[in-house]
Amino acid sequence: MKRTMTVLALAWGSAAGALTLDFGVAYRSGDLTPWDGRLLHAGVSDVSFGRGTLAAHVSNRAAEVGVVQGFSLPPAGAVSTGVDAAVAWTGGVRVSSRVGASFGPVALNLAGAGFTTSADTVDPLAAWTLAPTDLRTRGWNAEFTARYRVSRTLIAVAGGEFGPQNQGTLGVEWRRDLTRVLPPAEGDDPDAEPATERTGTLTLRAGARAGQGVLGVTGGVTYSAESGLSLALDALAGPGQWGAVGSLSAPDVLGAGSLSRLYVAYEPWRWASAPLRAGVETRVPAGRGTLSLDLRGGVQPAGAGGFGARLGYSFPLGEPAAGQVVLGQP
C-alpha cells in the first residue's frame, strides 16, 4: 500500500498537467457478504513515462500499475508494448503483458498472463467483459494473432490460445469501403466521373477454430459508419456446439460527445471463462471530465448467474483533453 501511494505521488509530482485522475465504485451481486462484491478505487492514468504512459490505481481489493510504450521502426514498422501488474490485499498477484508489431503487410499481436489470484478478486466485474476472461485462481495463459495483408481488401489471419484450453484459428477477412455518389455541383463537367465519399466500411470474416473442447467453422461481419456507429457479429458452429458474440457501439446517444456500447457473448464451449456475458457501457462528458457507467452480468463457469455495476469519473489536470472517450476501460 505504501509503495503504491509512493508511485502515485511520484506520478503527480513529475507529470502534473499531463495526467488524468480516476475515481470509481463498483458492486457485484451474489457474494457471501455485501463487502465482498464492492470496489472503491482511485488513481492516475495517462502519465507521461518514457515513450508511453503509466497508470497506477489503488482500491480496497488491490494495488495496480500499468505501463504502455510505443516505438517506431522506420521505414515501415512499429511496435507497442504494455505490462500490467496487480497485488491483491488478500494475497496473490496478477501480471500480464502484450506486444503489437507491424512490419509492412504483416501485423503480430502477442499477449500472456500469469497469476496466483483470480481476476474477480481484483475487479468484481471482470467475469462479464466482452472479451473472455480467464477466471481460474492460479495459472497462466497466452495468445497470438498474425495478420497478413494479401491485397488492399483481403487479409489472412492465424491465431492461437494456450493455457486452460489450447486451440487454434485460421481465417480470412475481406473489407470493402462503402461509398455514395455526391450530387453534381454547379459548373461540374457533365462528362466527368461523379464524385463520391466514403460512408463506412464492411468487413466479412470466415474461418475455423479447433482445439480442446471446440471444433467448428466461424463467420462474422462488422459494419462501421463514418459517424462512429459500429455493429459486429461473430458466430461459431460445429458438431453439437455453437456460440455467438455481438456488439453495437453508437456515439452521441446520450448527448454530444457521448459513446455507448451494448454487447452479448454466448460461448458455452469455453472452459475457464463465463459462458454467457452481457453488458451496457456508456461514457458521457461531464464538466472537465468523463462520467462512465457500466452494467454487466452473465453466468459463471459453474452455472451461477450474477450482475454488477460500475460508476466512474475521470478528468485531466491542466488543459482540458480533446481526445475521444474509450469504452471498455475500468
Side-chain angles (χ1 to χ4, degrees), residues 40-324:
L40 305 174
H41 82 90
V44 295
S45 58
D46 301 326
V47 181
S48 297
F49 186 79
R51 295 176 177 267
T53 60
L54 175 145
H57 294 83
V58 62
S59 73
N60 60 300
R61 306 174 76 94
E64 302 173 74
V65 176
V67 177
V68 176
Q69 298 285 305
F71 309 89
S72 61
L73 300 174
V79 176
S80 63
T81 64
V83 177
D84 298 291
V87 179
W89 303 130
T90 56
V93 299
R94 296 185 64 85
V95 179
S96 62
S97 62
R98 56 200 177 277
V99 178
S102 61
F103 306 94
V106 178
L108 300 174
N109 288 281
L110 309 173
F115 46 91
T116 59
T117 188
S118 64
D120 51 15
T121 297
V122 177
D123 178 0
L125 306 187
W128 305 309
T129 54
L130 174 58
T133 300
D134 189 337
L135 298 176
R136 296 175 299 159
T137 58
R138 181 181 296 269
W140 64 273
N141 59 59
E143 61 182 78
F144 80 91
T145 304
R147 301 163 63 87
Y148 177 75
R149 184 174 293 278
V150 180
S151 66
R152 191 179 67 86
T153 60
L154 188 65
I155 298 174
V157 183
E161 299 180 20
F162 308 96
Q165 189 177 6
N166 299 328
Q167 56 192 274
T169 60
L170 288 174
V172 293
E173 295 183 1
W174 177 78
R175 173 175 170 171
R176 177 183 178 182
D177 289 335
L178 304 178
T179 61
R180 71 181 182 94
V181 178
L182 295 174
E186 184 177 352
D188 283 354
D189 184 355
D191 297 325
E193 289 290 331
T196 62
E197 68 175 2
R198 194 173 73 170
T199 59
T201 58
L202 180 68
T203 303
L204 301 179
R205 293 177 289 276
R209 181 183 293 266
Q212 293 178 285
V214 60
L215 175 64
V217 295
T218 60
V221 57
T222 297
Y223 167 72
S224 299
E226 291 296 293
S227 64
L229 177 71
S230 179
L231 174 65
L233 178 63
D234 286 272
L236 176 145
Q241 59 185 314
W242 68 279
V245 179
S247 65
L248 172 64
S249 299
D252 305 329
V253 173
L254 300 177
S258 68
L259 186 60
S260 303
R261 179 170 70 175
L262 168 69
Y263 64 85
V264 178
Y266 179 65
E267 298 178 305
W269 47 269
R270 289 194 179 275
W271 294 350
S273 303
L276 176 63
R277 310 181 299 276
V280 178
E281 302 172 343
T282 61
R283 303 291 181 267
V284 180
R288 285 172 50 92
T290 301
L291 182 68
S292 62
L293 174 63
D294 298 343
L295 303 175
R296 300 176 186 170
V299 175
Q300 300 282 43
F307 65 90
R310 184 199 310 275
L311 180 66
Y313 184 71
S314 62
F315 64 92
L317 295 182
E319 294 298 321
Q324 111 182 54

